[in-house]
Amino acid sequence: MQEIIDKIDLSLYNCDYIDIRLEEISKTYLLVKNGELEQGNQVPAVGAFIRVKQNNKWFYASTTELDNLEKSILELIKSAGVTEAFKTGTANQEEMQRRDILNPDLIVFKTIKEKLNLILPLKEVFKKERTIIVSSITYLDTIIRRWFKNSTGKSYYYDNDIAGISAYYVIKEDEDRFNTSFSKTGHYESDFSTIKNELIDDIEEAKLFVKAKTIVAGKYPIILSEEAAGIFAHESFGHKSEADFMIGDDTMKKEWEIGKKVGSSILSIVDEGDIPGTSGYMPFDDEGNEKKKTYLIKNGLLTGRLHSNHTAELLEEEPTGNARAMNFYFEPIVRMTNTYIEPGNVSFEELCSTIKDGYYIKKTSHGSGMSTFTLAINRAWHIKDGKIAEPVKVNVITGTVFQALNDIDGLSDKCLILSFVGGGCGKMEQWPLPVGFGGPKVRVREMMVS
């Protein structure tokens, strides 16, 4: 692949602009259900996505025929209305910009057998638990190699491998049931060395919730775990920051005007792609822009949004390196990378200490939201007189985004970036756009809990 892209001089083609993205992608999916291997496949894919800009119009093509790449380029240029495919004379290029990032030690699970050996011990854990009546274990990994080159001379290469294991299970005691899940992601074999013991610990905690009491609905102070806070930030605010949502929507532009106070003065939310070891790792976007740290909210004020070249031009702002394509079959669109809340300066114990009657939201099932949000809760604990007390059953927490952002009154001093195989909501059966999210534990003055 490197030889293919090195041979191509895109500056010679007679169009206003051209870029090409080459990708090698391999995905493995394994499903063990109630102790039996139900599904297993490993799918490799190699291809290219070509973009041509001519007379302020874009033309796209996707191909898996890399031996005939020049033919695909010429056909696309012809479709753009260019009669002479090549420039005459010497092409003017910017100085060659190139950055190669190679992580040779990523994911050592090369064969299906190695991957099965990783999850089979988890099957034995479920088999020994008599109270578990349903179980499934999913393994998914994605290995990505990406090359990019454009007609101005910019070129890069990077890779990112990630594996994830998700276990879903149901515990039954008498007539009471508790549905829950466990997940683990990583890039190295060592990341999974303790996964069996982690699952055992997770099951022991889950047992506490089978007969837990359901809370009385109402408004309470709450503390969101890193996971819950990350999903809240991702679903309720992160998507609003993707600038393509604002194009042609004057109401949205006014509601999310740069400089507007949108949250508590202690709140800062960041999108940052160049963080190795995260599922949202993307040092360059799919338009060749280097991905840098972008403050979306800083000290409660709206300070930025996420852009492609196109949205940045329309809104007269700078590109942020957030043009992302699902794979080489698709054109780039604006999407998050790793979106997280920056930490504060107090401990978890100090966050709890001021709460007389509230809840710690540890684990969520899923979330959604735009102007309003809903988080479905899987595990929560009662906070009583400043201390973590008994486990409780909470169905959902809901609210309006602006109110919740402004009601944040405490942030823990430790920050955790969470990786999910399958995108933001951790859906293991698909991986549309891998993202990471998280941050510190977050205390909110008041939320509707039911």
Side-chain angles (χ1 to χ4, degrees), residues 122-389:
L122 307 186
K123 182 187 78 170
E124 296 304 314
V125 172
F126 285 131
K127 189 176 179 181
K128 292 178 181 178
E129 290 288 344
R130 295 181 179 179
T131 57
I132 294 179
I133 59 172
V134 175
S135 68
S136 65
I137 307 167
T138 304
Y139 172 94
L140 176 68
D141 66 35
T142 299
I143 300 169
I144 300 173
R145 307 285 181 263
R146 183 175 278 120
W147 294 259
F148 176 91
K149 195 172 191 178
N150 68 14
S151 52
T152 69
K154 185 175 290 185
S155 176
Y156 69 73
Y157 163 84
Y158 74 90
D159 54 24
N160 193 28
D161 303 358
I162 188 168
I165 295 175
S166 177
Y168 168 82
Y169 58 99
V170 179
I171 301 176
K172 182 181 179 183
E173 294 181 14
D174 301 323
E175 297 304 313
D176 297 305
R177 298 187 180 204
F178 182 62
N179 300 5
T180 190
S181 63
F182 164 83
S183 63
K184 177 82 173 181
T185 59
H187 297 263
Y188 307 94
E189 184 176 16
S190 59
D191 293 335
F192 298 93
S193 61
T194 61
I195 188 170
K196 181 178 177 180
N197 290 333
E198 290 177 49
L199 176 59
I200 292 170
D201 291 342
D202 189 80
I203 293 170
E204 291 305 309
E205 181 183 89
K207 290 176 181 177
L208 301 175
F209 290 87
V210 180
K211 293 184 177 295
K213 292 182 179 179
T214 301
I215 68 159
V216 177
K219 291 185 175 181
Y220 299 92
I222 67 166
I223 296 176
L224 300 171
S225 69
E226 296 88 348
E227 175 188 320
I231 291 177
F232 165 71
H234 173 93
E235 296 290 356
S236 66
F237 177 76
H239 285 302
K240 282 180 174 290
S241 301
E242 294 163 345
D244 51 358
F245 284 104
M246 300 184 184
I247 304 304
D249 190 336
D250 292 334
T251 301
M252 183 74 80
K253 291 178 189 176
K254 185 176 181 180
E255 183 179 0
W256 296 93
E257 184 179 1
I258 297 296
K260 180 179 179 179
K261 185 180 186 302
V262 294
S264 166
S265 61
I266 66 171
L267 175 66
S268 294
I269 299 181
V270 169
D271 185 86
E272 187 174 6
D274 199 359
I275 308 177
T278 60
S279 53
Y281 174 63
M282 193 174 191
F284 300 91
D285 75 359
D286 290 325
E287 293 184 319
N289 295 308
E290 193 167 358
K291 177 56 186 163
K292 298 180 180 179
K293 186 174 183 178
T294 303
Y295 276 93
L296 307 175
I297 296 177
K298 191 164 188 178
N299 300 328
L301 301 180
L302 191 69
T303 54
R305 45 184 143 247
L306 307 178
H307 280 297
S308 64
N309 288 335
H310 177 63
T311 61
E313 181 180 356
L314 291 177
L315 295 179
E316 298 181 339
E317 296 173 7
E318 293 297 317
T320 59
N322 286 87
R324 308 189 63 194
M326 192 181 301
N327 54 47
F328 60 82
Y329 288 108
F330 297 91
E331 72 271 19
I333 58 176
V334 183
R335 287 299 178 263
M336 290 173 271
T337 56
N338 297 301
T339 304
Y340 62 92
I341 299 171
E342 287 199 323
N345 56 9
V346 298
S347 66
F348 177 42
E349 291 73 21
E350 289 173 304
L351 289 180
C352 294
S353 65
T354 60
I355 297 178
K356 185 174 179 62
D357 182 25
Y359 297 98
Y360 171 51
I361 307 300
K362 182 177 181 180
K363 188 178 182 65
T364 62
S365 298
H366 55 83
S368 63
M370 286 298 278
S371 295
T372 61
F373 69 90
T374 299
L375 294 182
I377 308 306
N378 188 255
R379 301 185 197 182
W381 301 80
H382 186 204
I383 303 175
K384 185 176 181 181
D385 297 326
K387 302 287 185 182
I388 295 292

Side-chain angles (χ1 to χ4, degrees), residues 429-448:
E429 69 274 9
Q430 56 184 327
W431 194 350
L433 283 175
V435 297
F437 48 73
K441 292 181 172 67
V442 176
R443 186 177 62 204
V444 184
R445 190 176 296 111
E446 188 179 73
M447 273 191 181
M448 185 65 198

Side-chain angles (χ1 to χ4, degrees), residues 87-104:
K87 294 178 180 178
T88 57
T90 303
N92 292 320
Q93 280 200 104
E94 297 176 4
E95 183 178 351
M96 175 63 75
Q97 304 171 49
R98 179 167 180 159
R99 181 180 172 193
D100 292 349
I101 300 172
L102 180 65
N103 298 303

